[in-house]
Amino acid sequence: MDRRSFLTKTAVVGAAASTLAAPAIAQTNPRITWRLASSFPKSLDTIYGAADDLYNFVSEATDGNFVIQPFAAGEIVGALQVHDAVTDGTVEAAHTAGYYFWGKDPTFALGCAVPFSLSSRGMNAFMYEGGGNELYNEFLAQYKIIAFPGGNSGTQMGGWFRREINTVEDLRGLKMRIGGFAGKVLEQLGLVPQQIAGGDIYQALERGTIDAAEWIGPYDDEKLGFVKVAPYYYAPGVWEGGPMWHFYFNTDAYGALPENYKAVLRTACDAANVRMLSKYDYKNPTAIKTLVGQGAQLRWFSKDVMDAMFDAANRTYEEYSATNTHFANMWGAIKDFRSEYYTWAQIADYNYDTYMMIKQNEGAL
């Protein structure tokens, strides 16, 4: 056989092999397009950005064959309707905060944040390693939802106040924009919770319709200008020590995915979860200095005030645990891990961080 004949036959065989292989590749990596409804506006680039991250990570890992197109709150359904949209299959996915739906069942809030729960690191440890996400998904199954962690802000601020809070009595009659579950807890101390959309908070504070408002933390709060109308900026937000956002997926849509796509999706959720917290940890230091420069007066809730909040929270947990099995099981697991976690956290991290903060305050860093 001469060289030219050999090369010609080899090329034909190679082309045939490529043609035969194509259907197998297509079958392994089918074209799938999903829609994701976010509970957040695009202006919250740190939170809404997690949905963009998921889109990019999944698309790049599958050569563009698996696309999860994000839509901001209101573009398909409202911010508080994304849960139902996933359940009924209007969309395949959502990015949201579980505590938005606590009115349906308080167990929703446990996957996100409740007063005096875990920090961001504690939530990650509990969800990934302590069986937390499995417990959450056992609960969510009745709504045809499977969820994976999708971000964390770290401990949030306690909010903006028009006057100082020195005692528990100062909370009595205080009208505060605050999330539903935390609002129910603080009602026990005489606080009057108000449900107000983010875009309406500034005017309500300016007009005196409300006396205080919690939002998120320095980076996001700076955008809304609260410092101009409520100068006292309190910490910590004990009701959101480590709020975890989630990606919700319709169980039928998720179950129909090829196994390699499921693996890509879970890994992309993990990456988006880590990246959101990193963004907040990077952006908040600059933002808090800016806010103080604009006149924000930092304050801290006293131990007496936080003790009263802690006791009120425990009464609420006992109430729900007595009548709600899912809540009792998940809150019980959080409590058990919380004790172990803070035993360890105070040994190394706490002492290291405290020393470094002392050196920072001495101007040595």
Side-chain angles (χ1 to χ4, degrees):
M1 182 183 294
D2 63 26
R3 179 174 178 274
R4 178 174 298 179
S5 174
F6 172 78
L7 290 175
T8 301
K9 291 179 179 180
T10 301
V12 170
V13 171
S18 297
T19 303
L20 290 172
I25 295 173
Q27 186 176 18
T28 303
N29 296 303
R31 290 283 299 174
I32 295 176
T33 300
W34 282 3
R35 297 190 302 171
L36 180 149
S38 174
S39 285
F40 312 105
K42 293 181 180 178
S43 58
L44 288 177
D45 56 295
T46 41
I47 301 180
Y48 179 83
D52 280 335
D53 287 338
L54 187 76
Y55 163 80
N56 290 324
F57 296 154
V58 169
S59 179
E60 291 170 9
T62 61
D63 293 326
N65 285 312
F66 185 12
V67 174
I68 304 176
Q69 182 64 50
F71 294 87
E75 290 184 340
I76 297 179
V77 294
L80 303 184
Q81 281 75 53
V82 301
H83 157 275
D84 291 329
V86 173
T87 296
D88 63 27
T90 300
V91 296
E92 293 84 5
H95 184 235
T96 191
Y99 56 22
Y100 288 160
F101 317 111
W102 79 278
K104 292 178 180 286
D105 190 306
T107 312
F108 275 105
L110 294 178
C112 180
V114 294
F116 303 99
S117 185
L118 292 159
S119 66
S120 57
R121 283 181 61 182
M123 280 296 287
N124 275 337
F126 174 67
M127 283 292 184
Y128 286 124
E129 301 296 330
N133 210 59
E134 288 79 5
L135 285 170
Y136 200 41
N137 280 326
E138 286 176 15
F139 161 71
L140 292 173
Q142 64 188 299
Y143 299 98
K144 297 187 67 176
I145 291 173
I146 183 170
F148 301 106
N152 203 302
S153 67
T155 303
Q156 294 189 3
M157 292 293 285
W160 299 86
F161 292 74
R162 289 161 55 89
R163 63 176 187 266
E164 291 185 83
I165 304 299
N166 296 311
T167 68
V168 177
E169 189 61 29
D170 291 333
L171 296 174
R172 191 168 300 281
L174 188 85
K175 292 175 290 185
M176 182 175 182
R177 186 273 178 197
I178 189 168
F181 191 98
K184 178 175 176 57
V185 170
L186 295 182
E187 274 184 323
Q188 298 180 44
L189 305 180
L191 184 140
V192 184
Q194 307 289 305
Q195 303 299 315
I196 301 175
D200 299 325
I201 297 174
Y202 182 92
Q203 287 186 339
L205 281 169
E206 185 179 37
R207 296 171 180 172
T209 306
I210 58 175
D211 306 302
E214 60 85 29
W215 187 233
I216 298 177
Y219 178 71
D220 292 316
D221 291 7
E222 181 190 352
K223 299 174 185 177
L224 298 181
F226 298 143
V227 65
K228 300 173 186 176
V229 289
Y232 299 106
Y233 199 21
Y234 271 83
V238 297
W239 38 86
E240 297 195 55
M244 176 171 277
W245 285 264
H246 276 83
F247 291 109
Y248 284 2
F249 302 107
N250 177 275
T251 52
D252 291 339
Y254 178 79
L257 289 175
E259 291 303 315
N260 61 323
Y261 279 18
K262 290 179 183 178
V264 166
L265 184 60
R266 292 192 299 268
T267 303
C269 289
D270 291 349
N273 181 46
V274 171
R275 192 169 188 189
M276 185 196 291
L277 182 58
S278 299
K279 290 177 183 178
Y280 274 113
D281 283 344
Y282 186 78
K283 294 173 183 289
N284 277 333
T286 300
I288 191 64
K289 289 190 289 186
T290 300
L291 287 170
V292 170
Q294 292 173 351
Q297 299 185 46
L298 292 178
R299 297 289 188 273
W300 287 264
F301 292 124
S302 70
K303 184 176 184 299
D304 287 345
V305 168
M306 288 196 288
D307 282 347
M309 293 176 177
F310 184 82
D311 291 342
N314 284 336
R315 289 193 294 269
T316 303
Y317 301 142
E318 289 176 5
E319 174 189 338
Y320 284 133
S321 294
T323 58
N324 186 318
T325 301
H326 282 297
F327 186 94
N329 289 341
M330 191 161 179
W331 177 243
I334 290 172
K335 280 179 59 180
D336 289 344
F337 178 66
R338 184 181 61 176
S339 177
E340 296 298 319
Y341 177 73
Y342 284 108
T343 296
W344 162 239
Q346 65 186 293
I347 294 172
D349 280 355
Y350 175 78
N351 285 287
Y352 177 76
D353 287 346
T354 300
Y355 177 78
M356 294 301 287
M357 291 170 193
I358 291 171
K359 301 310 289 183
Q360 193 272 341
N361 290 332
E362 291 175 352
L365 298 186

